[in-house]
Amino acid sequence: MRLIVSFAQGFVSILKGMAITFLNLVGRRKITLQYPYQRPNVSPRWRGIFYLPYNDEAGRINCVGCTLCAQACPTGVITMTKMGAGKHASVNAFTMDLGRCMFCNLCIEACPFDAIHMSTRFELASVDRGVSLLTIDKLAQGGADAVERTKRTIEAALEQEAAAKAAAAAAKAQAAAGAQAAEGADA
Amino acid sequence: MTAMQPAVGASTSSDMTINLGPQHPSTHGVLRLMVALDGEYVKSCRPVVGYLHRGLERMMAARPYRQSVPFTDRLDYCASLNSNLAISQAIERIGGMAVPERAQYLRVMLCEMNRIASHLIFFGTYAADIGATTAFLYAFRERERLLDLLEAYTGARLTCNWIRPGGVASDMPEGYAQAVCAFLDGFLKELDAYDTLLTGNPIFRVRTEGVGIISPEKAIAYGASGPVLRGSGVNIDLRRTEPYDAYPRTQFDVPLRTEGDCLARYLVRVEEMRQSARIIRQCLREMPEGEHWGKQPKVFRPAAGEAYSRTESPRGELSIYLVSDGTANPVRVRVRGPSFVHLSMLPELVRGVKVADMIAILGSLDTVLGEVDR
Ligand code: SF4
Ligand code: SF4
């Protein structure tokens, strides 16, 4: 008797389960994506591959080479060399080794100039290790061109600054010489 | 061949040692179980851990305090936000940081969302362990929607790293509360369907009822926590007994079962998902306006001392102990994870049971190897 009851119960539970699976079969949109042909729309906050935004107005990338991001990184992903000085500074090398990166967002939060961002690109797989080493040409928004333009902007600004300084120094020297001459005339 | 040696495969050589794992679907990670079998029965079982050892505690101790948060993502990777919370709390305690009220609600909401995601993994993989693949697919479908929500908030699906010392890294994106509520509405309905599919299934019940019984005394003696402890009738939930963040201001029930078997642990987790949904709704409703992240000191050098934070992760008590000597890096970081403790109960639990029951028992403990090995 017990056997029959448990058999009946099992049978009913199978029917119930089948009803649910059937409802799911007919009453639902497919939720899977055929990946290489279809790509997911990731959220705008997605933490994907990095880029250094290019500032069109200023004609340069925002980064000033302050190394704050490199200091904030727990795994030492970021290395850079600074170019320029003072107000007119940027980087001429900025390398990220994505093989070590955790996409933790700490570098982005550390940057005071909003100069490093994460994009929604997420396809990192490659057959070559070198691909995960992102140089500045790959990182800068606008590629090597943007880097070149940044370099020119910085150099021009530095030259201008130097010229202004030289002019100021010359003016000062002239003024000093004039004053001396005046002193001489007095004496 | 001498007469003393039994022939290979002869039934007289009753003992056989087999290795389950380190690559085995039922061990949920790289866990190796050395099992001595007498026919279908387990004579002894020795878990071999350490395949996933990365030295996380040492890595965290070698870095400034706030840089250790992303490493905790890799502890319990099914519930990264809960691990983030544990370390953030420890750092807040050692540095005396305050958390804005809105951030407390955001944290609780995120943690509970991650708890549901984690329990859905348990639900799905446990069903799959026992042989019900359909429930596995359904659970992962729901979890996928939840991960999409986490992605919309934090930008990452698994290693979120969004709860930080002193708050939460960002506020909710626009329209997030509605999206979460819509998900919860659908999810609770699904959960009822799962109950019909799995909980009410006589085969599932036969496989889990009365299997792997943990008495309350044994659970306490081993230091079990979370659903394993509450499945044995010990009513301890750190969200209740030592409430933190916004938990004192939320109402929820702590599910409790007294049977102590696999089914009890399963039922506790399923019920916890419902309670988590309740907590998330309350958080969304009662969340005050305000800051999500308090002002942060530029350099963080806490005074010499120590701090201990206990949190209720989906698997149990996840605690972090920090020792500071006044410099920018901690001297010692120690993680007390629930999975390690639960795994240490396994040899005793599986002695004398059948192999298939051993899988059921291991699954019901819901261990995550990332946190066992650290
Ligand atoms: S995301 Fe994290 S690991 Fe990656 S470069 Fe930034 S700070 Fe370093
Ligand atoms: S990206 Fe930002 S933080 Fe990093 S060096 Fe450039 S300006 Fe500094």
Side-chain angles (χ1 to χ4, degrees):
Chain A
M1 189 63 206
R2 232 190 53 209
L3 215 72
I4 296 172
V5 169
S6 74
F7 177 78
Q9 276 173 348
F11 197 72
V12 169
S13 84
I14 287 178
L15 285 185
K16 269 193 205 157
M18 291 296 242
I20 290 176
T21 37
F22 184 74
L23 281 181
N24 273 292
L25 178 67
V26 294
R28 244 180 218 286
R29 229 162 16 94
K30 209 167 59 180
I31 56 152
T32 44
L33 280 179
Q34 299 300 319
Y35 165 60
Y37 310 110
Q38 293 172 310
R39 301 238 143 107
N41 285 326
V42 296
S43 90
R45 288 192 179 181
W46 180 265
R47 309 210 305 253
I49 299 175
F50 301 87
Y51 66 95
L52 305 173
Y54 180 75
N55 185 339
D56 233 350
E57 252 167 63
R60 53 168 294 178
I61 54 173
N62 285 338
C63 178
V64 301
C66 65
T67 72
L68 281 180
C69 52
Q71 285 167 38
C73 177
T75 45
V77 170
I78 307 172
T79 49
M80 67 187 83
T81 38
K82 193 169 167 151
M83 93 179 146
K87 266 192 231 154
H88 306 290
S90 188
V91 282
N92 51 19
F94 193 99
T95 312
M96 299 186 77
D97 179 2
L98 288 194
R100 299 223 296 265
C101 178
M102 314 191 264
F103 296 91
C104 65
N105 208 44
L106 291 186
C107 50
I108 285 143
E109 282 160 31
C111 180
F113 300 96
D114 208 17
I116 178 166
H117 284 192
M118 273 166 160
S119 67
T120 49
R121 279 170 55 216
F122 56 86
E123 279 151 325
L124 289 153
S126 77
V127 288
D128 177 13
R129 255 181 177 222
V131 176
S132 65
L133 202 72
L134 295 187
T135 55
I136 189 162
D137 289 348
K138 288 189 202 148
L139 280 168
Q141 196 180 21
D145 205 32
V147 179
E148 199 47 51
R149 261 180 292 175
T150 307
K151 213 174 266 178
R152 278 206 301 271
T153 309
I154 297 287
E155 270 161 17
L158 281 176
E159 250 165 52
Q160 223 171 34
E161 199 182 52
K165 232 184 223 164
K172 216 172 171 184
Q174 220 169 29
Q180 229 167 32
E183 259 172 46
D186 274 355
Chain B
M1 189 184 279
T2 58
M4 294 299 289
Q5 280 177 320
V8 176
S11 57
T12 42
S13 64
S14 51
D15 275 18
M16 183 165 66
T17 307
I18 61 159
N19 280 306
L20 209 76
Q23 299 286 339
H24 191 275
S26 72
T27 55
H28 302 199
V30 276
L31 168 68
R32 175 168 159 221
L33 296 175
M34 288 171 72
V35 197
L37 293 180
D38 179 5
E40 184 73 1
Y41 292 92
V42 177
K43 284 187 91 177
S44 70
C45 160
R46 193 158 74 85
V48 183
V49 299
Y51 290 95
L52 208 58
H53 178 69
R54 295 143 293 174
L56 277 177
E57 291 177 357
R58 180 76 191 101
M59 276 156 86
M60 289 198 263
R63 287 172 172 76
Y65 285 89
R66 283 176 291 190
Q67 288 184 14
S68 57
V69 182
F71 290 97
T72 57
D73 285 341
R74 278 95 188 146
L75 277 175
D76 179 351
Y77 37 74
C78 298
S80 57
L81 285 160
N82 294 71
S83 321
N84 292 167
L85 180 68
I87 185 99
S88 299
Q89 239 176 44
I91 296 174
E92 281 150 18
R93 285 202 186 149
I94 208 164
M97 276 185 217
V99 184
E101 204 179 335
R102 185 178 175 82
Q104 294 184 1
Y105 278 94
L106 288 171
R107 280 175 169 199
V108 167
M109 181 191 84
L110 283 171
C111 281
E112 292 304 321
M113 282 165 70
N114 223 332
R115 189 184 308 275
I116 294 182
S118 168
H119 282 349
L120 276 175
I121 293 193
F122 162 78
F123 177 87
T125 54
Y126 194 50
D129 283 351
I130 291 202
T133 323
T134 317
F136 171 78
L137 296 174
Y138 290 178
F140 270 65
R141 180 188 61 203
E142 291 314 305
R143 175 171 174 267
E144 196 62 24
R145 291 172 58 197
L146 196 48
L147 291 192
D148 283 343
L149 284 174
L150 287 179
E151 176 196 314
Y153 193 138
T154 70
R157 303 168 69 80
L158 215 54
T159 52
C160 298
N161 182 35
W162 220 240
I163 293 179
R164 305 287 174 74
V168 182
S170 76
D171 213 324
M172 294 190 283
E174 219 156 289
Y176 196 66
Q178 288 88 319
V180 173
C181 283
F183 164 76
L184 289 179
D185 288 339
F187 170 69
L188 289 178
K189 268 192 220 113
E190 294 293 334
L191 206 54
D192 292 338
Y194 297 168
D195 263 351
T196 325
L197 196 64
L198 199 62
T199 318
N201 186 311
I203 302 170
F204 177 76
R205 290 191 95 98
V206 168
R207 286 293 307 277
T208 52
E209 227 163 352
V211 173
I213 295 181
I214 305 174
S215 66
E217 295 78 35
K218 202 197 285 178
I220 291 171
Y222 271 101
S225 49
V228 176
L229 187 64
R230 292 193 288 277
S232 296
V234 184
N235 192 357
I236 292 180
D237 185 326
L238 290 172
R239 295 175 292 170
R240 255 297 151 67
T241 50
E242 280 180 34
Y244 45 91
D245 281 342
Y247 283 119
R249 279 157 276 158
T250 47
Q251 268 102 46
F252 61 98
D253 299 327
V254 178
L256 195 68
R257 308 288 300 190
T258 47
E259 296 89 347
D261 54 3
C262 292
L263 185 66
R265 294 190 276 279
Y266 164 86
L267 290 173
V268 166
R269 291 199 181 95
V270 171
E271 186 54 32
E272 263 186 18
M273 287 198 259
R274 294 207 170 85
Q275 296 301 328
S276 292
R278 215 174 127 195
I279 299 175
I280 295 171
R281 285 234 171 95
Q282 285 176 44
C283 285
L284 287 171
R285 219 174 26 236
E286 288 157 22
M287 195 179 296
E289 292 297 316
E291 275 184 314
H292 60 82
W293 203 357
K295 192 138 178 55
Q296 294 291 302
K298 268 238 148 53
V299 260
F300 184 69
R301 276 179 214 277
E306 50 182 35
Y308 191 64
S309 92
R310 304 172 77 193
T311 57
E312 182 79 25
S313 88
R315 283 173 185 74
E317 177 187 337
L318 177 69
S319 307
I320 297 211
Y321 176 57
L322 285 178
V323 183
S324 159
D325 62 350
T327 56
N329 297 0
V331 182
R332 176 83 168 100
V333 181
R334 156 93 184 129
V335 180
R336 184 266 184 222
S339 295
F340 183 78
V341 175
H342 294 158
L343 195 59
S344 69
M345 303 171 80
L346 190 70
E348 199 183 322
L349 285 179
V350 301
R351 202 165 296 138
V353 306
K354 286 191 177 149
V355 177
D357 286 344
M358 182 177 80
I359 303 296
I361 294 170
L362 175 62
S364 78
L365 295 176
D366 192 21
T367 52
V368 161
L369 270 293
E371 180 221 276
V372 173
D373 293 343
R374 297 197 273 274

